């Protein structure tokens, strides 16, 4: 995919204006919310073993991943499996591709006060990914329902957002 700097800048500025209001600084320049760079966040250690267990995740199933600019870990659990990742593609870049036919779900939202996106590429609704704005990267929480003959009544998107809201306060804040 070819990405142009001008289009990306326009998307980032537009998203900033929508999320942060149309205010301006003393020079009259539109104010864009500052999101600290989260490119060094270790998504494999951002939740404690006790937190993983409380979510129904087995810490011993931890498996690191590093593929195509996506770095993180996955765990098995019941009633769902969990992936926590850092993606070199930003939330703004995902928003620019919102009409990609591969997405079966695509919703812009917020994780606490950060821009976010929920998406899925699976048509059966058993998986959802919540992206969190991390400045030069996006941070992803992916929940996929575990196989079961009698699956629990869990909304993977609601669960991914809930976990993302747990993680967000631990991320670098603007100005750090």
């Amino acid at each position: 995919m070819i990405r142009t700097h001008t289009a990306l800048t326009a998307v980032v500025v537009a998203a900033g204006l929508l999320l942060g209001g149309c205010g301006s600084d003393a020079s009259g320049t539109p104010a864009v919310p500052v999101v600290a760079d989260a490119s060094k966040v270790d998504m494999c250690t951002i939740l404690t073993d006790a937190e993983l267990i409380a979510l129904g995740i087995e810490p011993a199933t931890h498996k690191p991943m590093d593929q195509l600019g996506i770095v993180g870990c996955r765990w098995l659990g019941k009633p769902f499996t969990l992936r926590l990742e850092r993606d070199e593609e930003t939330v703004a870049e995902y928003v620019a591709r919102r009409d990609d036919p591969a997405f079966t779900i695509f919703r812009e939202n917020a994780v606490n006060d950060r821009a976010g996106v929920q998406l899925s590429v699976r048509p059966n609704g058993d998986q959802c990914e919540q992206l969190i704005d991390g400045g030069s990267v996006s941070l992803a929480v992916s929940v996929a329902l575990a196989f079961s003959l009698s699956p629990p009544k869990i909304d993977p998107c609601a669960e991914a957002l809930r976990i993302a809201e747990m993680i967000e306060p631990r991320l670098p804040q603007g100005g750090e």
Side-chain angles (χ1 to χ4, degrees), residues 12-13 15-21 30-36 113 133 174:
V12 170
V13 169
L17 290 173
L18 288 172
L19 292 171
V32 177
V34 176
V35 175
D113 290 329
D133 186 0

Side-chain angles (χ1 to χ4, degrees), residues 6 8 14 27 32 36 39 55 87 90 98-99 117 119 136 149 151 174:
T6 304
L8 179 59
S27 70
V32 177
S39 64
L55 293 168
D87 185 343
T90 67
R98 75 174 310 124
D99 295 325
V117 168
L119 62 88
S136 65
L149 295 176

Side-chain angles (χ1 to χ4, degrees), residues 23 36 39 85 97 118 124 140 142 159:
S39 64
E85 302 164 336
R97 306 188 293 123
Q118 282 188 340
N124 62 0
S142 180
E159 196 64 24

